[in-house]
Amino acid sequence: MGVTLTAGDLRKGLKLEMDGEPYIIVDFEFSKPGKGQALYRCRLKNMITGSQFDRTYRSGDKFQSADLEEQDMQFLYKQGDSYHFMNTTSYEQIEMSAAQVGDATNYLIENLVVSMLMFQGRPIGISLPNFVELKVIRSDPGIKGDTAAGATKPATMETGFIIQVPLFIEEGETLKIDTRNGSYVERVKV
Amino acid sequence: MPERNILSAKRDALELRSRVIERIRSHFRRAGFLEVQTPLLTPAPAPELNIEAVPAGDGFFLATSPELYMKRLLAAGYGKLFQLTPVFRSGERGRLHHPEFTLLEWYRTGASYKDMQRDCVELLHEVCAFGAATGGGTCRGSVIEPGKPWESLTVRDAFLRLAGWDPVVDFDPDRFDVDLVTKVEPYLGFPNPCFLEDYPPERAALARLKDSAPPVAERFELYWAGIELANGFTELTDPAEQRKRFEAVLADRHEAGLSSRPMPEAFLAAIEHLPQCAGIALGLDRLVMLLAGADSVDRVVAFPPDLL
C-alpha cells in the first residue's frame, strides 16, 4: 500500500493509486483565485491503459502514492504473443503480452536487460536502455553513384523492426540504434 | 545550467522590472500619493480562510498584505497612500504563485471601487506606453489599445455566460472557485484588460456591500490575458460589521482545523475613524511577467523558490 499524500504534495511526475490503478500526473498547475481556495489542476494518465483525463483537486483531498517498483529483467524469448523475462537477481520468470510490451517489441533481442515497472507485483511496462545493438537481416544494396548527403534506405533488423539506414549498410552488419526515436546511430564492429 | 548562467540570462527581465518599478513610483508621486512602508512582521494578519501566514517566531507572522496597516494610516488622516512591498503566503507555488511576492497597494480616501478602476487604466496605460518604447509592452502578443474602453463584467454576468449558473443568488464556494479558474478566468482580458466586479457577499473580503437586491460586494478584480492582476474594493468602514466578518472567518478556520489567529484589535479600533475610501493590491511580479511576454513569474524574479 502506498503512502498517504495531501493535495499539497501533488506535482508533475508523481504516481498515484486510484481505484486500484496506477496513475501518473503528466501536467500540473497550482491555482488560487483571489480570496478563494487553492486548487490543484492535474492531467492524469493511467499507467496501464494510457488513457488521460483532467481533474481539479482541493486542499482537503487525500491521495495514495502508487506502490511501484522497478526490477532489472533479462529478455529470454518470445512465444506466440507472449514475451518471457527473467529477474536478474531472483531468477523469477515473468511473461508479458505484446500489448503490454508495446513499442519495445522492436528492440527485444535475447539476453537484453531492461527495467520492468511493477505495480502490486504485476508488470505494467518496461523501459529500454537508450541504445541497443541489432543485426541487419535484410537490406537492398545501395545504388552506386547516389552520393546525395543523408540519402537512406530501409533495413529490416533481426527483430523485424524496419529503420532508415545510410546506403553503405549491408546485410549481416550490426547497428547501434537509439531506442528513444528508433534512429540509426552508427555501425558496430563485432 | 549553472546558476551564474541562469541569473545572467535574466538581465532583460530584471532591467524591465526595475524600470516598471521606477515608472510606478513616479506615477504615484506625481498624482500626490505618499509612499509608505508598513511592518513585515505582524502579530495579527487579517483573518482569512484561504490565506496562510508564515509564522516568524516570537508570536509574529510575516505580513500576508499591508492592508490593515495602510488603513490605520488612512484612519489617522492620510488621504493617498501607496506601497511596494514583499508579502508572504504559505504553501503557494505555481506558474503565477510564489510564497514570497511583491504587491503594489494603493488607497484613496473619498473614493469608490470605480475610482480604483480608473486608476488602473491610467497606471497601466502609462506603464505599457513605456514598455512599448523599450520593445516590450505587449501581453502575449496583444498590446493595450490606447483610447479603447476596458470591459467591465459583473461576476453574475460572467458566470451566467461562461459557467451557466448564478453565484450571486445561490453561492457554492467549491463550485465557484473551480468554475472561476477553469471556465471564467481563461476568457477575461483579451486584448485589453477587463474588470470582473460585484462579487457575492461570501467573497466580499473587506469590501463594502452594495445596497442592491441581491446584495453584492463593491469589489473587482483586474484581469489581463486570462491572468488575475489586481484586487480592489470600496473599503468596509463599519467596525461592527468588520468584527462580525472577522469572527465568522476565525470560526470557519477553527472548523476547518486551521491554526488559530489573534483578532486584529488595533485595526478594528482604527476603522472607527476610517473615512470612505477604496484600495487595491496589484501583483507586481505578474505585471512584469505580462509585459515581458513571459509565461511564469519565475522568469521575472531573480531568485524564484527553486533557486533558493
Side-chain angles (χ1 to χ4, degrees), chain A residues 150-168:
Chain A
T152 60
K153 60 175 183 176
T156 306
M157 314 308 291
E158 56 188 307
T159 57
F161 186 37
I162 298 172
I163 62 168
Q164 290 295 318
V165 298
L167 300 179
F168 56 77

Side-chain angles (χ1 to χ4, degrees), chain B residues 173-245:
Chain B
D174 289 343
R175 194 176 175 202
F176 184 76
D177 288 338
V178 172
D179 282 2
L180 180 59
V181 165
T182 58
K183 295 182 180 166
V184 178
E185 288 187 342
Y187 300 97
L188 301 179
F190 296 93
N192 273 356
C194 96
F195 300 107
L196 184 67
E197 63 182 13
D198 296 351
Y199 278 69
E202 291 84 353
R203 284 291 150 79
L206 280 70
R208 185 172 79 181
L209 294 189
K210 199 180 260 186
D211 196 12
S212 58
V216 290
E218 292 190 359
R219 175 184 158 211
F220 71 93
E221 299 239 10
L222 170 65
Y223 283 89
W224 193 11
I227 288 167
E228 177 203 334
L229 209 49
N231 173 35
F233 36 84
T234 314
E235 304 294 340
L236 179 63
T237 53
D238 175 349
E241 166 71 11
Q242 185 66 77
R243 182 179 291 275
K244 218 170 75 188
R245 287 197 204 169

Side-chain angles (χ1 to χ4, degrees), chain A residues 29-37 39 41 56 58, chain B residues 48 50 92-93 95 174 177 180-181 219 221 228 231:
Chain A
E29 187 159 356
F30 173 89
S31 357
K32 200 162 183 293
K35 305 294 177 189
Q37 58 193 315
L39 300 174
R41 291 192 283 162
T56 300
R58 297 191 298 267
Chain B
E48 298 254 17
N50 296 315
E92 301 194 5
R93 174 71 178 106
R95 194 167 66 83
D174 289 343
D177 288 338
L180 180 59
V181 165
R219 175 184 158 211
E221 299 239 10
E228 177 203 334
N231 173 35

Side-chain angles (χ1 to χ4, degrees), chain A residues 176-189:
Chain A
K176 183 174 172 182
I177 317 279
D178 189 328
T179 62
R180 291 164 296 190
N181 54 20
S183 68
Y184 163 87
V185 181
E186 62 187 6
R187 245 190 316 199
V188 182
K189 289 213 170 65

